[in-house]
Amino acid sequence: MRKTLICFAVCMILVVAAWPASAAGTFYLHDHPDYWWYVPADVPFYAVVPSTAQTYVERNVFGMNILEILMDNGNISMEVAAMKNTTIEAVRKSIEERFKPAVKDISVKANRMITTSNNLQCHFYHYEATGNHGRKVMLRTVIFERNGSVVSLSLFLDASKYTGDIQQYWLRLVNDSEWD
């Protein structure tokens, strides 16, 4: 009986330890060393993310799988968020509202459908505003929808930092990502 209890306890520990990993996405090598393929859990989408960031945080918030990619000591944030059973408009509204308390003088630069280089239709939403720190900030997001799944790619940063490698990382993320 004691062996059975020990075996059961070990099995439960292994199941509990593996449980968080089941909610995480997967990274794969990309042809270019500055990028990885990232596949969110439960959504058949392949995102091309920079491999050179300082921090990668995967989390599950209320059933939404999120990969947060931090660069420039956390001053630049890219996100890949995937969820089922929602709409582009619901996701766009939540992204728009997320930082409203921290910004003022919002100027919406884009709120329309676009087609990526991979010929995927997505919703592009972009605003610029003044952050609490007094500098011009930018939010850029594209939202893909297919068969009840929605994937949003978002970039949050000071507008002056949207140049060089950061701009290329964003453009590659948007244009090279694809559905399975």
Side-chain angles (χ1 to χ4, degrees):
M1 179 69 161
R2 185 174 179 167
K3 277 187 172 183
T4 304
L5 285 175
I6 291 172
C7 183
F8 177 75
V10 169
C11 288
M12 289 305 293
I13 290 170
L14 291 174
V15 167
V16 170
W19 195 276
S22 68
T26 306
F27 291 90
Y28 297 98
L29 291 177
H30 190 275
D31 294 341
H32 194 287
D34 287 346
Y35 298 92
W36 288 322
W37 286 103
Y38 173 73
V39 181
D42 301 328
V43 175
F45 191 82
Y46 295 88
V48 178
V49 299
S51 64
T52 56
Q54 293 165 324
T55 306
Y56 298 83
V57 178
E58 288 184 289
R59 53 198 168 114
N60 184 295
V61 179
F62 308 130
M64 177 173 52
N65 292 312
I66 302 168
L67 169 66
E68 185 175 23
I69 303 165
L70 299 174
M71 296 171 270
D72 189 34
N73 297 314
N75 292 311
I76 298 172
S77 176
M78 265 186 205
E79 286 184 356
V80 177
M83 66 221 86
K84 293 182 177 182
N85 304 318
T86 191
T87 65
I88 286 175
E89 184 57 21
V91 172
R92 187 202 62 78
K93 258 183 122 61
S94 71
I95 292 169
E96 176 185 41
E97 295 292 323
R98 184 174 179 184
F99 294 108
K100 265 196 173 169
V103 296
K104 62 183 178 184
D105 303 325
I106 295 173
S107 174
V108 176
K109 302 296 185 181
N111 187 9
R112 65 181 182 276
M113 294 300 290
I114 63 169
T115 303
T116 69
S117 297
N118 274 350
N119 206 28
L120 297 179
Q121 291 285 311
C122 60
H123 188 86
F124 175 49
Y125 182 74
H126 167 212
Y127 75 62
E128 293 180 359
T130 303
N132 277 342
H133 55 18
R135 295 188 299 268
K136 187 175 178 182
V137 297
M138 175 187 295
L139 158 69
R140 301 176 79 86
T141 191
V142 294
I143 308 165
F144 299 89
E145 182 178 32
R146 182 173 161 207
N147 298 332
S149 296
V150 173
V151 175
S152 67
L153 311 174
S154 301
L155 176 66
F156 312 96
L157 72 164
D158 284 358
S160 64
K161 295 180 184 234
Y162 185 64
T163 63
D165 287 343
I166 300 302
Q167 185 177 41
Q168 290 309 305
Y169 293 151
W170 172 252
L171 293 174
R172 189 125 192 203
L173 174 62
V174 170
N175 286 294
D176 289 0
S177 295
E178 58 191 43
W179 290 103
D180 184 14

PDB file of all heavy atoms in Angstrom, residues 73-97:
ATOM      1  N   ASN A  73      15.769  47.386 -22.278  1.00  0.00           N
ATOM      2  CA  ASN A  73      15.545  47.415 -20.823  1.00  0.00           C
ATOM      3  C   ASN A  73      14.064  47.532 -20.448  1.00  0.00           C
ATOM      4  O   ASN A  73      13.704  48.201 -19.492  1.00  0.00           O
ATOM      5  CB  ASN A  73      16.345  48.537 -20.177  1.00  0.00           C
ATOM      6  CG  ASN A  73      17.824  48.321 -20.351  1.00  0.00           C
ATOM      7  OD1 ASN A  73      18.326  47.217 -20.143  1.00  0.00           O
ATOM      8  ND2 ASN A  73      18.547  49.359 -20.756  1.00  0.00           N
ATOM      9  N   GLY A  74      13.214  46.887 -21.229  1.00  0.00           N
ATOM     10  CA  GLY A  74      11.782  46.881 -20.947  1.00  0.00           C
ATOM     11  C   GLY A  74      11.021  48.063 -21.496  1.00  0.00           C
ATOM     12  O   GLY A  74       9.802  48.151 -21.321  1.00  0.00           O
ATOM     13  N   ASN A  75      11.691  48.983 -22.179  1.00  0.00           N
ATOM     14  CA  ASN A  75      11.018  50.159 -22.722  1.00  0.00           C
ATOM     15  C   ASN A  75      10.288  49.878 -24.029  1.00  0.00           C
ATOM     16  O   ASN A  75       9.496  50.693 -24.480  1.00  0.00           O
ATOM     17  CB  ASN A  75      12.022  51.296 -22.932  1.00  0.00           C
ATOM     18  CG  ASN A  75      12.537  51.823 -21.614  1.00  0.00           C
ATOM     19  OD1 ASN A  75      11.757  52.118 -20.715  1.00  0.00           O
ATOM     20  ND2 ASN A  75      13.843  51.914 -21.477  1.00  0.00           N
ATOM     21  N   ILE A  76      10.574  48.747 -24.647  1.00  0.00           N
ATOM     22  CA  ILE A  76       9.900  48.328 -25.874  1.00  0.00           C
ATOM     23  C   ILE A  76       9.300  46.962 -25.609  1.00  0.00           C
ATOM     24  O   ILE A  76       9.982  46.051 -25.145  1.00  0.00           O
ATOM     25  CB  ILE A  76      10.875  48.263 -27.064  1.00  0.00           C
ATOM     26  CG1 ILE A  76      11.461  49.654 -27.341  1.00  0.00           C
ATOM     27  CG2 ILE A  76      10.185  47.696 -28.302  1.00  0.00           C
ATOM     28  CD1 ILE A  76      12.575  49.666 -28.357  1.00  0.00           C
ATOM     29  N   SER A  77       8.024  46.832 -25.913  1.00  0.00           N
ATOM     30  CA  SER A  77       7.329  45.568 -25.685  1.00  0.00           C
ATOM     31  C   SER A  77       6.610  45.134 -26.951  1.00  0.00           C
ATOM     32  O   SER A  77       5.852  45.911 -27.536  1.00  0.00           O
ATOM     33  CB  SER A  77       6.315  45.728 -24.547  1.00  0.00           C
ATOM     34  OG  SER A  77       5.566  44.543 -24.383  1.00  0.00           O
ATOM     35  N   MET A  78       6.867  43.893 -27.355  1.00  0.00           N
ATOM     36  CA  MET A  78       6.125  43.244 -28.429  1.00  0.00           C
ATOM     37  C   MET A  78       5.342  42.121 -27.796  1.00  0.00           C
ATOM     38  O   MET A  78       5.847  41.454 -26.894  1.00  0.00           O
ATOM     39  CB  MET A  78       7.073  42.622 -29.458  1.00  0.00           C
ATOM     40  CG  MET A  78       7.373  43.458 -30.628  1.00  0.00           C
ATOM     41  SD  MET A  78       8.344  42.508 -31.821  1.00  0.00           S
ATOM     42  CE  MET A  78       9.132  43.845 -32.636  1.00  0.00           C
ATOM     43  N   GLU A  79       4.132  41.906 -28.285  1.00  0.00           N
ATOM     44  CA  GLU A  79       3.320  40.817 -27.757  1.00  0.00           C
ATOM     45  C   GLU A  79       2.711  40.005 -28.880  1.00  0.00           C
ATOM     46  O   GLU A  79       2.299  40.552 -29.901  1.00  0.00           O
ATOM     47  CB  GLU A  79       2.170  41.344 -26.893  1.00  0.00           C
ATOM     48  CG  GLU A  79       2.573  41.848 -25.556  1.00  0.00           C
ATOM     49  CD  GLU A  79       1.383  42.275 -24.714  1.00  0.00           C
ATOM     50  OE1 GLU A  79       0.232  42.252 -25.194  1.00  0.00           O
ATOM     51  OE2 GLU A  79       1.618  42.645 -23.559  1.00  0.00           O
ATOM     52  N   VAL A  80       2.640  38.715 -28.642  1.00  0.00           N
ATOM     53  CA  VAL A  80       1.870  37.801 -29.470  1.00  0.00           C
ATOM     54  C   VAL A  80       0.820  37.224 -28.530  1.00  0.00           C
ATOM     55  O   VAL A  80       1.161  36.570 -27.548  1.00  0.00           O
ATOM     56  CB  VAL A  80       2.740  36.671 -30.054  1.00  0.00           C
ATOM     57  CG1 VAL A  80       1.899  35.698 -30.860  1.00  0.00           C
ATOM     58  CG2 VAL A  80       3.884  37.236 -30.885  1.00  0.00           C
ATOM     59  N   ALA A  81      -0.446  37.496 -28.802  1.00  0.00           N
ATOM     60  CA  ALA A  81      -1.530  37.003 -27.949  1.00  0.00           C
ATOM     61  C   ALA A  81      -2.474  36.166 -28.803  1.00  0.00           C
ATOM     62  O   ALA A  81      -2.841  36.570 -29.910  1.00  0.00           O
ATOM     63  CB  ALA A  81      -2.286  38.163 -27.311  1.00  0.00           C
ATOM     64  N   ALA A  82      -2.846  35.006 -28.292  1.00  0.00           N
ATOM     65  CA  ALA A  82      -3.714  34.100 -29.034  1.00  0.00           C
ATOM     66  C   ALA A  82      -4.853  33.622 -28.158  1.00  0.00           C
ATOM     67  O   ALA A  82      -4.655  33.326 -26.980  1.00  0.00           O
ATOM     68  CB  ALA A  82      -2.901  32.905 -29.532  1.00  0.00           C
ATOM     69  N   MET A  83      -6.034  33.590 -28.757  1.00  0.00           N
ATOM     70  CA  MET A  83      -7.197  33.109 -28.016  1.00  0.00           C
ATOM     71  C   MET A  83      -8.253  32.583 -28.980  1.00  0.00           C
ATOM     72  O   MET A  83      -8.213  32.866 -30.172  1.00  0.00           O
ATOM     73  CB  MET A  83      -7.781  34.198 -27.133  1.00  0.00           C
ATOM     74  CG  MET A  83      -8.364  35.367 -27.905  1.00  0.00           C
ATOM     75  SD  MET A  83      -8.017  36.964 -27.212  1.00  0.00           S
ATOM     76  CE  MET A  83      -6.436  37.330 -27.917  1.00  0.00           C
ATOM     77  N   LYS A  84      -9.172  31.837 -28.436  1.00  0.00           N
ATOM     78  CA  LYS A  84     -10.280  31.297 -29.220  1.00  0.00           C
ATOM     79  C   LYS A  84     -11.568  31.980 -28.786  1.00  0.00           C
ATOM     80  O   LYS A  84     -11.645  32.580 -27.713  1.00  0.00           O
ATOM     81  CB  LYS A  84     -10.385  29.787 -29.003  1.00  0.00           C
ATOM     82  CG  LYS A  84      -9.208  29.017 -29.562  1.00  0.00           C
ATOM     83  CD  LYS A  84      -9.404  27.535 -29.358  1.00  0.00           C
ATOM     84  CE  LYS A  84      -8.253  26.787 -29.998  1.00  0.00           C
ATOM     85  NZ  LYS A  84      -8.412  25.341 -29.879  1.00  0.00           N
ATOM     86  N   ASN A  85     -12.571  31.876 -29.651  1.00  0.00           N
ATOM     87  CA  ASN A  85     -13.931  32.328 -29.336  1.00  0.00           C
ATOM     88  C   ASN A  85     -14.024  33.810 -29.019  1.00  0.00           C
ATOM     89  O   ASN A  85     -14.629  34.203 -28.026  1.00  0.00           O
ATOM     90  CB  ASN A  85     -14.517  31.497 -28.180  1.00  0.00           C
ATOM     91  CG  ASN A  85     -14.503  30.018 -28.489  1.00  0.00           C
ATOM     92  OD1 ASN A  85     -14.818  29.617 -29.602  1.00  0.00           O
ATOM     93  ND2 ASN A  85     -14.107  29.215 -27.520  1.00  0.00           N
ATOM     94  N   THR A  86     -13.418  34.627 -29.841  1.00  0.00           N
ATOM     95  CA  THR A  86     -13.548  36.079 -29.693  1.00  0.00           C
ATOM     96  C   THR A  86     -13.560  36.695 -31.089  1.00  0.00           C
ATOM     97  O   THR A  86     -13.568  35.981 -32.087  1.00  0.00           O
ATOM     98  CB  THR A  86     -12.429  36.662 -28.804  1.00  0.00           C
ATOM     99  OG1 THR A  86     -12.751  38.023 -28.501  1.00  0.00           O
ATOM    100  CG2 THR A  86     -11.068  36.573 -29.460  1.00  0.00           C
ATOM    101  N   THR A  87     -13.559  38.005 -31.158  1.00  0.00           N
ATOM    102  CA  THR A  87     -13.610  38.690 -32.447  1.00  0.00           C
ATOM    103  C   THR A  87     -12.483  39.707 -32.548  1.00  0.00           C
ATOM    104  O   THR A  87     -11.912  40.123 -31.532  1.00  0.00           O
ATOM    105  CB  THR A  87     -14.947  39.439 -32.625  1.00  0.00           C
ATOM    106  OG1 THR A  87     -15.015  40.478 -31.634  1.00  0.00           O
ATOM    107  CG2 THR A  87     -16.135  38.498 -32.500  1.00  0.00           C
ATOM    108  N   ILE A  88     -12.214  40.119 -33.758  1.00  0.00           N
ATOM    109  CA  ILE A  88     -11.206  41.162 -33.992  1.00  0.00           C
ATOM    110  C   ILE A  88     -11.588  42.427 -33.230  1.00  0.00           C
ATOM    111  O   ILE A  88     -10.754  43.034 -32.572  1.00  0.00           O
ATOM    112  CB  ILE A  88     -11.062  41.455 -35.502  1.00  0.00           C
ATOM    113  CG1 ILE A  88     -10.309  40.322 -36.193  1.00  0.00           C
ATOM    114  CG2 ILE A  88     -10.376  42.785 -35.742  1.00  0.00           C
ATOM    115  CD1 ILE A  88     -10.211  40.463 -37.700  1.00  0.00           C
ATOM    116  N   GLU A  89     -12.850  42.815 -33.311  1.00  0.00           N
ATOM    117  CA  GLU A  89     -13.277  44.068 -32.680  1.00  0.00           C
ATOM    118  C   GLU A  89     -13.130  44.010 -31.159  1.00  0.00           C
ATOM    119  O   GLU A  89     -12.688  44.981 -30.540  1.00  0.00           O
ATOM    120  CB  GLU A  89     -14.718  44.411 -33.059  1.00  0.00           C
ATOM    121  CG  GLU A  89     -15.195  45.739 -32.530  1.00  0.00           C
ATOM    122  CD  GLU A  89     -14.344  46.949 -32.948  1.00  0.00           C
ATOM    123  OE1 GLU A  89     -13.603  46.898 -33.944  1.00  0.00           O
ATOM    124  OE2 GLU A  89     -14.421  47.975 -32.241  1.00  0.00           O
ATOM    125  N   ALA A  90     -13.458  42.896 -30.539  1.00  0.00           N
ATOM    126  CA  ALA A  90     -13.324  42.766 -29.088  1.00  0.00           C
ATOM    127  C   ALA A  90     -11.857  42.881 -28.672  1.00  0.00           C
ATOM    128  O   ALA A  90     -11.526  43.552 -27.692  1.00  0.00           O
ATOM    129  CB  ALA A  90     -13.915  41.439 -28.614  1.00  0.00           C
ATOM    130  N   VAL A  91     -10.977  42.265 -29.438  1.00  0.00           N
ATOM    131  CA  VAL A  91      -9.545  42.319 -29.130  1.00  0.00           C
ATOM    132  C   VAL A  91      -9.007  43.730 -29.365  1.00  0.00           C
ATOM    133  O   VAL A  91      -8.276  44.275 -28.545  1.00  0.00           O
ATOM    134  CB  VAL A  91      -8.770  41.272 -29.962  1.00  0.00           C
ATOM    135  CG1 VAL A  91      -7.272  41.455 -29.807  1.00  0.00           C
ATOM    136  CG2 VAL A  91      -9.188  39.866 -29.559  1.00  0.00           C
ATOM    137  N   ARG A  92      -9.392  44.362 -30.482  1.00  0.00           N
ATOM    138  CA  ARG A  92      -8.941  45.727 -30.784  1.00  0.00           C
ATOM    139  C   ARG A  92      -9.357  46.684 -29.671  1.00  0.00           C
ATOM    140  O   ARG A  92      -8.560  47.487 -29.190  1.00  0.00           O
ATOM    141  CB  ARG A  92      -9.492  46.209 -32.125  1.00  0.00           C
ATOM    142  CG  ARG A  92      -8.879  47.569 -32.537  1.00  0.00           C
ATOM    143  CD  ARG A  92      -9.732  48.320 -33.531  1.00  0.00           C
ATOM    144  NE  ARG A  92     -11.039  48.658 -33.033  1.00  0.00           N
ATOM    145  CZ  ARG A  92     -11.315  49.668 -32.199  1.00  0.00           C
ATOM    146  NH1 ARG A  92     -10.356  50.428 -31.728  1.00  0.00           N
ATOM    147  NH2 ARG A  92     -12.543  49.914 -31.817  1.00  0.00           N
ATOM    148  N   LYS A  93     -10.594  46.582 -29.234  1.00  0.00           N
ATOM    149  CA  LYS A  93     -11.079  47.468 -28.174  1.00  0.00           C
ATOM    150  C   LYS A  93     -10.307  47.273 -26.874  1.00  0.00           C
ATOM    151  O   LYS A  93      -9.960  48.240 -26.191  1.00  0.00           O
ATOM    152  CB  LYS A  93     -12.566  47.224 -27.927  1.00  0.00           C
ATOM    153  CG  LYS A  93     -13.470  48.241 -28.539  1.00  0.00           C
ATOM    154  CD  LYS A  93     -14.899  47.943 -28.160  1.00  0.00           C
ATOM    155  CE  LYS A  93     -15.600  48.999 -27.457  1.00  0.00           C
ATOM    156  NZ  LYS A  93     -15.819  50.247 -27.998  1.00  0.00           N
ATOM    157  N   SER A  94     -10.004  46.027 -26.531  1.00  0.00           N
ATOM    158  CA  SER A  94      -9.273  45.780 -25.284  1.00  0.00           C
ATOM    159  C   SER A  94      -7.851  46.318 -25.362  1.00  0.00           C
ATOM    160  O   SER A  94      -7.334  46.860 -24.385  1.00  0.00           O
ATOM    161  CB  SER A  94      -9.270  44.291 -24.943  1.00  0.00           C
ATOM    162  OG  SER A  94      -8.454  43.566 -25.824  1.00  0.00           O
ATOM    163  N   ILE A  95      -7.222  46.199 -26.528  1.00  0.00           N
ATOM    164  CA  ILE A  95      -5.865  46.739 -26.701  1.00  0.00           C
ATOM    165  C   ILE A  95      -5.898  48.268 -26.644  1.00  0.00           C
ATOM    166  O   ILE A  95      -5.056  48.897 -26.010  1.00  0.00           O
ATOM    167  CB  ILE A  95      -5.240  46.230 -28.014  1.00  0.00           C
ATOM    168  CG1 ILE A  95      -4.981  44.721 -27.912  1.00  0.00           C
ATOM    169  CG2 ILE A  95      -3.952  46.987 -28.343  1.00  0.00           C
ATOM    170  CD1 ILE A  95      -4.623  44.074 -29.230  1.00  0.00           C
ATOM    171  N   GLU A  96      -6.896  48.862 -27.278  1.00  0.00           N
ATOM    172  CA  GLU A  96      -7.039  50.314 -27.279  1.00  0.00           C
ATOM    173  C   GLU A  96      -7.218  50.858 -25.859  1.00  0.00           C
ATOM    174  O   GLU A  96      -6.622  51.870 -25.485  1.00  0.00           O
ATOM    175  CB  GLU A  96      -8.255  50.695 -28.128  1.00  0.00           C
ATOM    176  CG  GLU A  96      -8.572  52.171 -28.134  1.00  0.00           C
ATOM    177  CD  GLU A  96      -9.859  52.463 -28.885  1.00  0.00           C
ATOM    178  OE1 GLU A  96     -10.835  51.704 -28.735  1.00  0.00           O
ATOM    179  OE2 GLU A  96      -9.870  53.459 -29.602  1.00  0.00           O
ATOM    180  N   GLU A  97      -7.999  50.177 -25.056  1.00  0.00           N
ATOM    181  CA  GLU A  97      -8.312  50.633 -23.705  1.00  0.00           C
ATOM    182  C   GLU A  97      -7.194  50.361 -22.698  1.00  0.00           C
ATOM    183  O   GLU A  97      -7.124  51.011 -21.661  1.00  0.00           O
ATOM    184  CB  GLU A  97      -9.592  49.962 -23.212  1.00  0.00           C
ATOM    185  CG  GLU A  97     -10.830  50.344 -23.985  1.00  0.00           C
ATOM    186  CD  GLU A  97     -11.228  51.791 -23.792  1.00  0.00           C
ATOM    187  OE1 GLU A  97     -11.067  52.307 -22.662  1.00  0.00           O
ATOM    188  OE2 GLU A  97     -11.680  52.420 -24.763  1.00  0.00           O
TER     189      GLU A  97
END
